[in-house]
């Protein structure tokens, strides 16, 4: 079950797929060497966009949810990867404290948390849930939609450690992206492993750092495969101080939008792509799908200063004041029953453990699909067909497509690893 | 799809299953701690016997074949485990030299070799096959039954290294159990990783060393679970110099058979098992299924000295001269369509990657099933149902049964690790 891809545009992506397959041992070795020098994030999910002519990660989530969307067939892979992850971090561990997102209460999210509990229990840990919600003073049962329940317990903080009543974990696994800031209770936990680290949260994280790392890696990787890095890397620029409300910093945005659109146009011409280029303007910080503008012409930004002109237009949802990213837009040309589809790949430790298609019936090919109304169709990554089949016609084989997705998603994961190293506030600097 | 188990005998095994499930995090941690101190064999398969009242490994194969019997669903797990294995041994490796068994030419075996090539290719290595058959001077194509072909190449030996023409591997993976001795070409490869090591081959390996390690581990493990180690450990004894042909050493065998049968009788009484005990007498060395005697009474051995009495009887196939093991017989009470079935579990590195049932329609519950005429039914280890489900009725759930099998098989693997450490001829001895 591979979503349909508009065939007229599959030329370059099929070439990429073929090159990725042919280079499989070299690619896997390349990843092995990267992981000798760098530490993979404990877990992550990467949203990809397949434009037919290029394939790129558009979001690398270090606090992934949606584990409930993986098919049961994928679970053994997740458990095996979790075992490998634990073994490296804290092999003697008995207990794992999992801290879910305290702002998300929908039942899909709770099912994802349940899935994580399952995975880490089966990997051999006693897993309990601690809540960041300070209002919770007593253990609280939450009923799951598919039956069963989760027990959320109040956190207990001592000097250097965090735990629950009668529960002292070796590792604390965070599933809250800290969009609202770092809770005091998580500060200064020097005696335990807090994963991902605090600076992976959106309080400190910036998309531009990730994009910089990804660009560097895309170039290295493209060199390995002897191809144009643009095929896997969306171009981008950064504007430091922008406030759309009072038109501050708009010149920077306008000029980068213009330059970027020009560059994309030249690339499209080079590859014979008959598309109208677009860029995406979005906040440098924050994980939400809001404040994202799709721009096809720098002139569209002129309306920005006029609240009345903005109302009801594409410009109604503007990035908040702060730094913004101007990024080459990558349309997604995968379709499932006529709805736009975007693959999402899940990783634990260095391993791809599954994935699914995010499908949104009401959104366009150039819009963000991570928004209310999206539906999920599990991708059969771990089925018999998962393993790539060399020798099959490019574009015709689901396993080969998925293998390519897994490779590009892992490239995003390596970039996250570089990014976290570069932004670690406690890293020692060797000059 | 779990083979039917004779229900009247499932009491103790259900209790074991329940205890194993309840102790899952403790068990997984126990394995983690073992692997902190010990190195798992690169790969292995373990034959188990489920008697309903006890469960035990009966063969730990360090040169496993039969990978072709694993279902395609299990392959991603095998690839992931292979990636973990390579990463630890030789992360910079580009090339893997696989040396198949030079004495086995049947097409099932070739399919197993093909499967290994697939797994390690997908894990990111260039895999080529070198043959120990010195008669092969030119690369030789071998056609596979399901289509495709393998290329067997002559080995090229230099001073400290082994390779093929234009192929210098970092790791050499041996799939020949060296039953016929260590070929000179494999001696003194100090610059490469030869896995498993030479002393894992049957030239040097002895079952008694393995059983000693397993017994030690079964005791530790049983203590962890608070149970009788006998439930997972067949008792055994060793006789050093036995030659059935001239009746040498028969007194030792007779006396151990007698003692062991008495011990088993007492255990059966303790657990209310209405069975006639039996022991198995087999050579201490060698991997073949031959030379195995099933004995229910020490008197049966009296016929041994008389060639005429032996002919046509159960005693026709005697162990060759040398040391013999006298081991508690574990009947297998699993049935598939009325044929006796025996689970076989496959592991790569520390991970269970799959398994299947070995079924033999013409053999009895107390006989060795690893013999011509056996059929294989893949165990659905990697299907959605693989992961254990806590809370299900013991004995009723295939995934729970399989989890228990995976645990006992891994216990056999840890024993192999102890065994290889204890018998390493190049180990430094710290007094």
């Amino acid at each position: 079950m591979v979503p349909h891809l508009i065939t007229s545009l599959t030329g370059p992506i099929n070439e990429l797929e073929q090159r990725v397959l042919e280079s499989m041992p070299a690619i896997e070795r390349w990843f092995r060497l990267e992981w000798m020098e760098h530490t993979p994030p404990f877990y992550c999910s990467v949203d990809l966009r397949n434009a037919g002519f290029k394939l790129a990660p558009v979001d690398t989530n270090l606090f992934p949810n949606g584990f409930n969307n993986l098919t049961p067939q994928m679970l053994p892979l997740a458990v095996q990867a979790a075992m490998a992850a634990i073994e490296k971090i804290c092999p003697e561990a008995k207990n794992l404290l999992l801290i879910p997102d305290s702002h998300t209460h929908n039942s899909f999210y709770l099912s994802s948390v349940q899935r994580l509990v399952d995975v880490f229990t089966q990997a051999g840990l006693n897993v309990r849930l601690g809540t960041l919600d300070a209002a919770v003073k007593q253990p609280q049962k939450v009923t799951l939609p598919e039956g069963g329940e989760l027990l959320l317990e109040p956190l207990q903080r001592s000097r250097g450690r965090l735990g629950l009543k009668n529960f002292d974990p070796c590792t604390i696994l965070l599933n809250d992206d800290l969009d609202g800031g770092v809770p005091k209770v998580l500060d200064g936990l020097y005696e335990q492993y807090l994963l991902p680290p605090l600076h992976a949260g959106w309080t400190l994280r910036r998309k531009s750092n990730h994009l910089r790392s990804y660009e560097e890696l895309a170039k290295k990787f493209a060199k390995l495969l002897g191809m144009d890095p643009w095929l896997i890397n969306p171009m981008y620029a950064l504007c430091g101080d922008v406030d759309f409300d009072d038109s501050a910093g708009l010149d920077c945005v306008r000029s980068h939008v213009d330059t970027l659109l020009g560059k994309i146009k030249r690339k499209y011409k080079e590859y014979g792509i008959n598309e109208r280029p677009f860029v995406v303007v979005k906040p440098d910080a924050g994980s939400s799908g809001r404040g994202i503008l799709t721009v096809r012409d720098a002139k569209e930004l002129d309306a920005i200063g006029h609240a009345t002109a903005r109302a009801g237009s594409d410009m109604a949802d503007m990035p908040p004041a702060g730094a913004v990213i101007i990024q080459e837009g990558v349309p997604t040309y995968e379709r499932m029953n006529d709805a736009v589809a975007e693959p999402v790949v899940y990783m634990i430790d260095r391993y791809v453990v599954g994935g699914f298609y995010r499908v949104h019936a009401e959104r366009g090919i150039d819009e963000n699909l991570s928004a209310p109304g999206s539906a999920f169709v599990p991708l059969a990554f771990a089925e018999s067909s998962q393993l790539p089949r060399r020798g099959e016609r490019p574009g015709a084989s689901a396993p080969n497509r998925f293998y390519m997705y897994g490779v590009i998603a892992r490239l995003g994961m390596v970039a996250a690893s570089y990014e976290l190293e570069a932004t670690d506030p406690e890293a020692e600097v060797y000059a």
Side-chain angles (χ1 to χ4, degrees), chain A residues 3-15 50-54 268 271-275 331 333-335 365 393-395 401:
Chain A
H4 181 67
L5 208 82
I6 296 181
T7 29
S8 64
L9 288 171
T10 52
I13 214 75
N14 285 355
E15 211 184 297
N50 183 349
F53 54 85
K54 78 184 288 175
Y268 278 13
Y271 285 92
I273 296 156
N274 251 330
E275 292 281 316
Y333 279 114
E334 288 200 276
R335 289 273 194 297
I365 57 169
R393 192 164 53 80
R401 175 89 59 89

Side-chain angles (χ1 to χ4, degrees), chain A residues 132 157 162 181-189 198:
Chain A
L132 288 172
R157 176 69 197 252
L162 186 64
V182 176
K184 232 181 130 193
V185 76
L186 296 181
D187 239 341
L189 294 172
L198 291 179

Side-chain angles (χ1 to χ4, degrees), chain A residues 239-250:
Chain A
C239 287
D241 282 303
V242 181
D243 188 341
F244 287 92
D245 269 332
D246 65 5
S247 298
L250 269 187

Side-chain angles (χ1 to χ4, degrees), chain A residues 9 41 48 64 101 113 203 230 355 424:
Chain A
L9 288 171
L48 297 171
D101 189 328
V113 171
T203 325
W230 179 76
D424 186 350

Side-chain angles (χ1 to χ4, degrees), chain A residues 59-127:
Chain A
D59 186 23
T60 301
N61 189 349
L62 298 176
F63 301 90
N65 53 42
F67 281 96
N68 52 313
N69 294 314
L70 302 179
T71 62
Q73 284 84 353
M74 301 172 186
L75 287 185
L77 278 173
V79 171
Q80 204 182 73
M83 290 168 95
I86 295 158
E87 186 222 326
K88 278 187 300 185
I89 294 160
C90 203
E92 302 187 40
K94 286 182 182 174
N95 300 330
L96 179 79
L97 172 60
L98 176 57
I99 300 186
D101 189 328
S102 54
H103 300 99
T104 312
H105 299 286
N106 77 59
S107 59
F108 296 119
Y109 179 67
L110 293 175
S111 301
S112 174
V113 171
Q114 174 61 58
R115 196 44 79 76
L116 281 175
V117 172
D118 282 350
V119 166
F120 287 99
T121 303
Q122 312 229 2
L125 292 165
N126 300 306
V127 186

Side-chain angles (χ1 to χ4, degrees), chain A residues 51-372:
Chain A
F53 54 85
K54 78 184 288 175
L55 174 66
V58 289
D59 186 23
T60 301
N61 189 349
L62 298 176
F63 301 90
N65 53 42
F67 281 96
N68 52 313
N69 294 314
L70 302 179
T71 62
Q73 284 84 353
M74 301 172 186
L75 287 185
L77 278 173
V79 171
Q80 204 182 73
M83 290 168 95
I86 295 158
E87 186 222 326
K88 278 187 300 185
I89 294 160
C90 203
E92 302 187 40
K94 286 182 182 174
N95 300 330
L96 179 79
L97 172 60
L98 176 57
I99 300 186
D101 189 328
S102 54
H103 300 99
T104 312
H105 299 286
N106 77 59
S107 59
F108 296 119
Y109 179 67
L110 293 175
S111 301
S112 174
V113 171
Q114 174 61 58
R115 196 44 79 76
L116 281 175
V117 172
D118 282 350
V119 166
F120 287 99
T121 303
Q122 312 229 2
L125 292 165
N126 300 306
V127 186
R128 282 166 64 180
L129 303 173
T131 175
L132 288 172
D133 184 348
V136 175
K137 304 284 184 204
Q138 291 296 324
Q140 200 175 62
K141 281 183 185 169
V142 189
T143 308
L144 293 169
E146 64 269 33
E149 54 188 23
L150 293 172
L151 188 69
L152 290 172
E153 299 181 62
L155 294 170
Q156 286 191 349
R157 176 69 197 252
S158 68
R159 222 155 139 37
R161 299 183 78 87
L162 186 64
L164 305 174
K165 196 176 174 185
N166 302 321
F167 191 74
D168 184 36
C170 164
T171 303
I172 301 160
L173 184 58
L174 201 56
N175 199 240
D176 183 309
D177 68 7
L178 307 178
D179 211 355
V182 176
K184 232 181 130 193
V185 76
L186 296 181
D187 239 341
L189 294 172
Y190 298 112
E191 294 177 16
Q192 287 161 307
Y193 295 93
L194 177 63
L195 297 166
L198 291 179
H199 68 284
W202 281 114
T203 325
L204 295 163
R205 200 175 172 211
R206 294 295 173 268
K207 292 182 186 114
S208 50
N209 291 325
H210 182 77
L211 294 176
R212 196 176 304 119
S213 298
Y214 183 78
E215 187 166 71
E216 180 190 337
L217 277 159
K219 281 179 186 164
K220 275 172 79 174
F221 187 81
K223 205 172 166 187
L224 175 80
L225 263 66
M227 67 176 203
D228 182 353
W230 179 76
L231 293 174
I232 52 171
N233 184 37
M235 298 178 285
Y236 77 100
L238 178 69
C239 287
D241 282 303
V242 181
D243 188 341
F244 287 92
D245 269 332
D246 65 5
S247 298
L250 269 187
D251 281 350
C252 175
V253 178
R254 223 178 267 124
S255 116
H256 276 306
V257 166
D258 218 42
T259 314
L260 208 50
L261 285 170
K263 280 187 187 171
I264 305 171
K265 230 168 253 165
R266 283 193 292 280
K267 275 291 177 188
Y268 278 13
K269 202 170 167 190
E270 183 186 337
Y271 285 92
I273 296 156
N274 251 330
E275 292 281 316
R276 191 171 174 204
F278 68 99
V279 296
V280 167
V281 180
K282 57 186 173 186
D284 193 18
S287 64
S288 82
R290 283 177 308 175
I292 300 181
L293 301 175
T294 299
V295 185
R296 279 175 199 76
D297 192 316
K299 287 200 190 79
E300 293 174 43
L301 293 167
D302 294 344
I304 277 279
H306 307 283
T308 34
R310 250 164 33 212
S313 81
D314 278 358
M315 301 288 154
D317 181 23
M318 286 185 317
V324 298
I325 300 278
I326 301 100
Q327 192 178 19
E328 175 187 351
V330 180
T332 180
Y333 279 114
E334 288 200 276
R335 289 273 194 297
M336 195 166 275
N337 305 327
D338 282 336
V340 177
E342 202 175 81
V344 189
V345 177
Y346 281 72
M347 286 153 287
I348 293 179
D349 196 78
R350 79 201 57 193
Y351 306 103
V352 172
V353 297
F356 58 82
Y357 276 98
R358 180 181 288 133
V359 176
H360 205 305
E362 289 152 37
R363 294 263 166 150
I365 57 169
D366 52 2
E367 285 183 292
N368 176 30
L369 301 190
S370 183

